[in-house]
Amino acid sequence: MQVILRQLGDCNIRRAEPSDLIPVMEINLKTLPEHYSDYFYESLLAEIPEAFIVAEISGKHVGYIMCKTEYGFSNFKKLGFVKKGHVVSIAVLDEYRKKGIGKALVEESVNGVKLKKCDEFYLEVRCSNNDAVRLYEKLGFVIRQKLNAYYRDGEDAYLMAIELN
Ligand code: ACO
Ligand code: ZN
């Protein structure tokens, strides 16, 4: 059963299902240099469907966000061991950007990782990716670390994180 989380004009924001994975992979191939195996997409959907979300406009997939959960050291508290949500990847097709779809995807994934009782939510983003960094900052994420040469091409990442609840 499709779970529609939110409607933005003609755009449905809803939880992904197995049949959404191929269109999600296609958006990923068009928009980002980091790609993943089919199995990895399937495993994220199986692990945390609450935070694997797609944006669809009259049957066309235009965006997605997918996440996982981890246990690890807090990005905020000294010596704290916490449950963390991790945004693995988010993208919106170029021609559908700047309409609020990215913001809706992140907000709904925050709700999803809260349902999984995560204490914090984090992600890595290219330091040069101003659009994405600004989006995350507007939603309350803060830069907690710079990860040197994090990407295969040598670019640095910012680790950005938010405390939940
Ligand atoms: N009219 C005009 N402007 C609007 C409207 C509107 N109706 N709605 C929102 N906007 C503005 C927002 O205010 C925001 O403005 P700002 O950039 O000046 O702050 C801007 O549009 C973007 O916000 P959204 O529309 O919510 O986000 P968008 O749908 O454009 O998606 C994203 C952002 C996902 C980063 C997109 O640019 C993208 O797919 N980029 C390529 C892939 C990418 O870099 N992904 C992130 C990698 S990091 C990772 O995956 C963890
Ligand atoms: Zn990551």
Side-chain angles (χ1 to χ4, degrees):
M1 194 194 58
Q2 287 198 347
V3 182
I4 297 190
L5 300 165
R6 193 192 288 212
Q7 287 179 305
L8 276 177
D10 53 3
C11 181
N12 283 342
I13 306 291
R14 61 169 178 80
R15 282 199 194 157
E17 300 177 341
S19 61
D20 295 310
L21 294 180
I22 301 264
V24 165
M25 290 179 215
E26 286 169 355
I27 296 173
N28 170 266
L29 286 171
K30 283 185 193 155
T31 52
L32 283 166
E34 290 77 37
H35 310 306
Y36 314 93
S37 67
D38 298 9
Y39 171 75
F40 188 60
Y41 288 88
E42 287 163 14
S43 67
L44 295 180
L45 181 59
E47 186 204 323
I48 176 168
E50 296 87 347
F52 197 140
I53 297 163
V54 294
E56 193 182 39
I57 299 179
S58 20
K60 180 183 162 74
H61 291 75
V62 301
Y64 72 88
I65 188 166
M66 58 185 193
C67 306
K68 57 183 176 150
T69 59
E70 298 162 5
Y71 291 91
F73 290 109
S74 170
N75 290 117
F76 294 95
K77 296 181 189 68
K78 264 192 191 161
L79 303 177
F81 200 70
V82 295
K83 185 171 184 183
K84 303 196 264 192
H86 178 171
V87 181
V88 174
S89 183
I90 171 176
V92 174
L93 287 178
D94 199 19
E95 36 314 7
Y96 298 92
R97 289 180 195 161
K98 304 213 180 287
K99 297 174 190 298
I101 296 173
K103 176 169 178 271
L105 289 170
V106 177
E107 287 175 346
E108 293 300 337
S109 71
V110 167
N111 292 339
V113 297
K114 281 184 179 172
L115 289 172
K116 290 287 200 192
K117 303 263 187 295
C118 290
D119 306 296
E120 300 178 6
F121 199 18
Y122 82 100
L123 55 86
E124 300 92 4
V125 58
R126 285 178 187 268
C127 293
S128 64
N129 192 346
N130 298 320
D131 287 347
V133 170
R134 216 168 36 240
L135 171 67
Y136 304 138
E137 279 179 337
K138 273 193 196 170
L139 294 174
F141 287 77
V142 290
I143 295 172
R144 298 297 297 170
Q145 271 185 68
K146 191 167 170 185
L147 307 171
N148 291 320
Y150 178 78
Y151 294 98
R152 291 175 71 132
D153 60 10
E155 186 170 349
D156 300 339
Y158 289 129
L159 187 154
M160 299 184 71
I162 184 171
E163 287 187 282
L164 303 177
N165 73 53

